[in-house]
Amino acid sequence: MVAYGDRDAELVMGEVPVARQRVTLAAVVVAMSLMLSGCVAPTEMPRPTTSSSRTASPTPTPTVAPERVEGGTAGQNRPYVEYVMARLISVSPQMTSLEIADTLVAAGFDRAALQVTDHATRVGSRADSILFSILIDGQCLLGQVADGAVTTSVGDVLGTGKCLVGRTVSLD
């Protein structure tokens, strides 16, 4: 009678133990990896070169400031508004609502087309953000000033004929 686990019995029956199959497979994988790694051509590391002549660094191309598009859409004037507001933020990071309105009017927009939320809360604290809008030819150019940056988008006019919902400041 042949006992299970007897090595000779397993060989006689033509079966290879699972543990031996795993070891053989691992050995084949390692051998193939070693053979394939020898097929890769060695690469040389680039060596720094020294030069006695100096090369001039490229001159930065001046950026052209966007301009207001007279008679243009809200989308066409969006880059200009972002530019104007970014300049305001750089000189007055804690601007008031009226400063935003005055800046946009000075940039060529009609005061009657503007809406701006208050820079202060009802309890007198500084608002986290100030929203503004410009009604341009049936579209709303919407903006938000928060954390020293301006974000803009273009949206539809509300059923009220305005762009912003809620309390806005008087711009008169």
Side-chain angles (χ1 to χ4, degrees):
M1 181 162 193
V2 178
Y4 292 105
D6 186 326
R7 187 171 163 232
D8 292 332
E10 288 177 357
L11 291 176
V12 169
M13 299 184 79
E15 295 179 8
V16 178
V18 174
R20 185 180 293 172
Q21 288 176 354
R22 288 184 183 149
V23 169
T24 304
L25 179 61
V28 169
V29 169
V30 169
M32 292 296 292
S33 298
L34 290 173
M35 287 190 312
L36 290 176
S37 67
C39 295
V40 177
T43 58
E44 285 189 31
M45 295 295 292
R47 294 186 184 135
T49 58
T50 57
S51 174
S52 59
S53 64
R54 291 184 174 234
T55 57
S57 60
T59 306
T61 307
T63 1
V64 178
E67 295 181 2
R68 182 170 176 264
V69 180
E70 185 70 37
T73 66
Q76 290 170 324
N77 281 294
R78 185 176 172 188
Y80 177 63
V81 169
E82 289 174 350
Y83 172 77
V84 167
M85 292 305 298
R87 288 184 53 122
L88 174 61
I89 291 168
S90 71
V91 296
S92 181
Q94 297 292 314
M95 85 271 316
T96 66
S97 302
L98 290 178
E99 283 180 290
I100 291 175
D102 291 343
T103 299
L104 293 171
V105 168
F109 295 100
D110 181 15
R111 186 176 292 274
L114 302 178
Q115 284 183 281
V116 183
T117 61
D118 203 341
H119 63 274
T121 66
R122 290 185 183 237
V123 294
S125 300
R126 178 98 186 137
D128 292 332
S129 66
I130 303 171
L131 304 176
F132 65 90
S133 68
I134 310 168
L135 182 59
I136 302 174
D137 195 30
Q139 289 186 308
C140 296
L141 199 163
L142 304 166
Q144 178 178 5
V145 177
D147 299 324
V150 63
T151 306
T152 65
S153 66
V154 175
D156 294 327
V157 177
L158 301 173
T160 61
K162 301 285 184 178
C163 296
L164 297 181
V165 175
R167 189 172 64 112
T168 58
V169 296
S170 172
L171 302 177
D172 297 327

